[in-house]
Amino acid sequence: MTGRSSERTGRAAPSERGAFYIDVDGQAKVHAGEIDMAHSQVAAPAAGGLFWSVTRIQSPDPNHTVEVTGARGTDYLFTQVPLIGAFRAEMTCGTQVDSELAGLISPGAPAMNFHFPDAISEGFGVEASFEAIERWFGADVPRPVRAVLRRAARGSYHRPAPLPNHLRETVRDALASRGPLRNRLVEGAALLVLSHHLEALAEEGRPVGLAPHEIRAAQEAHARMAAAGASPPGPTELALSLGLPVRRLALAYREVHGHTLLQGADILRLELARRSLLAGKPIKAIADELGYSSVSNFTAAFRRRIGLPPRQWRDLQSRALL
């Protein structure tokens, strides 16, 4: 094992079913029909068994589905971090995966269908073999982790979970580096992302202490915020209308959805912002409509969530549709 990252080179081609096939070497640049896909995977020697990848999809159709198959086996866990745009995926067993709750995934079969709502999408993937994960934990593999590795070895597995924004930003900053240690920075970011999900899995089973009516209240709170559009109700208003103390609703919402009520409202507002941008609304009008104090605050929030400033994101989407 060398002291530097070694890039896995290879090739890819559409399969007979029109899917993108990524061979065992892990690098691909494919044009099939009107869809362009580029996938590059890099080994991380310092964390043996870890690989990270960057995948970019571009299509003139902002709603397109791609079947991705590969020569790689299924003895690994992976996660995906959306950097530009979003995705929804379906495993062969029918399990649905949302990009904001990608969490830990083991495909069970080397094929998944990915749906991309945007004309341009970019994602960062991290994977590690079952053997590597066991080695990282040493002799004391936590029971929930061991159970998942055994279950995933027999078929598909998905543990939905959000990724904190600061880890997404760490990935973006590492990928943006042009220094001689870029691959080391990206390797570190990849290890942080996967370790975050594995640590959360290791702690699974702790009693949360939520009553069924509190879980229902958290789900209803999200539905009401989504239905309210540009002016979602705040935590106090939601708690009063749902008959819960603010602190209990906040706890329940975080446990159910993986982020705070305010973060949930922000995610929903930015989804509305994307639709408004594609409809051609002026950026200042969108910022005002969504309650941001300035265009710069709206731009910063949009960039944190989507990966690009709103004007650049809209321009990319518009060019892809030409």
Side-chain angles (χ1 to χ4, degrees):
M1 186 173 292
T2 65
R4 65 179 184 275
S5 295
S6 58
E7 190 158 350
R8 302 168 72 180
T9 59
R11 65 189 188 284
S15 75
E16 293 178 358
R17 294 179 297 167
F20 290 110
Y21 178 84
I22 301 174
D23 70 16
V24 72
D25 293 324
Q27 184 165 318
K29 189 172 184 181
V30 180
H31 178 79
E34 295 184 317
I35 300 176
D36 289 296
M37 174 183 176
H39 176 90
S40 180
Q41 189 171 56
V42 179
L50 179 77
F51 294 89
W52 59 267
S53 62
V54 176
T55 304
R56 183 179 176 86
I57 300 282
Q58 181 171 335
S59 169
D61 179 6
N63 284 288
H64 53 281
T65 298
V66 176
E67 182 186 10
V68 179
T69 64
R72 175 70 192 274
T74 58
D75 59 338
Y76 61 93
L77 288 176
F78 78 95
T79 189
Q80 287 283 332
V81 182
L83 300 176
I84 299 175
F87 71 82
R88 294 191 304 277
E90 183 178 359
M91 293 191 276
T92 54
C93 64
T95 298
Q96 303 288 320
V97 179
D98 182 88
S99 58
E100 290 301 323
L101 295 169
L104 289 172
I105 306 164
S106 183
M112 291 181 71
N113 287 320
F114 286 84
H115 176 76
F116 300 94
D118 302 308
I120 296 177
S121 300
E122 187 172 285
F124 180 76
V126 189
E127 70 174 64
S129 66
F130 297 160
E131 180 184 0
I133 293 169
E134 287 187 334
R135 187 170 63 248
W136 296 345
F137 281 102
D140 189 22
V141 180
R143 184 177 298 174
V145 176
R146 190 178 297 279
V148 163
L149 295 180
R150 289 173 178 168
R151 175 181 169 186
R154 298 192 300 268
S156 59
Y157 168 80
H158 179 222
R159 180 185 183 274
L163 185 72
N165 280 334
H166 73 272
L167 289 180
R168 195 191 309 247
E169 291 305 310
T170 297
V171 170
R172 288 195 179 113
D173 290 344
L175 288 171
S177 172
R178 295 295 178 264
L181 295 180
R182 175 183 180 271
N183 273 12
R184 289 295 194 192
L185 291 172
V186 181
E187 176 183 328
L191 189 57
L192 282 172
V193 167
L194 195 58
S195 295
H196 167 80
H197 288 306
L198 287 170
E199 282 204 334
L201 171 61
E203 296 175 1
E204 204 169 67
R206 294 177 304 160
V208 176
L210 293 180
H213 75 277
E214 292 176 320
I215 295 173
R216 289 194 297 271
Q219 295 167 338
E220 178 63 21
H222 188 80
R224 292 187 185 188
M225 287 194 296
S231 302
T236 301
E237 182 182 346
L238 284 168
L240 285 172
S241 65
L242 293 168
L244 283 181
V246 175
R247 290 182 63 183
R248 293 302 298 180
L249 178 61
L251 172 63
Y253 189 89
R254 189 180 187 92
E255 290 293 337
V256 171
H257 296 284
H259 43 248
T260 67
L261 282 161
L262 293 178
Q263 288 170 334
D266 198 42
I267 290 170
L268 291 169
R269 284 197 301 170
L270 290 174
E271 286 302 310
L272 182 58
R274 291 202 307 175
R275 294 195 295 271
S276 297
L277 284 166
L278 291 175
K281 276 191 178 181
I283 291 175
K284 186 177 186 308
I286 296 172
D288 291 342
E289 180 181 299
L290 296 179
Y292 288 93
S293 58
S294 65
V295 171
S296 61
N297 283 344
F298 166 62
T299 298
F302 191 92
R303 186 186 181 110
R304 279 195 304 271
R305 174 59 51 181
I306 308 300
L308 292 171
R311 191 181 306 279
Q312 186 179 351
W313 179 85
R314 179 164 60 190
D315 289 347
L316 278 173
Q317 301 299 318
S318 298
R319 284 202 295 272
L321 291 171
L322 293 178

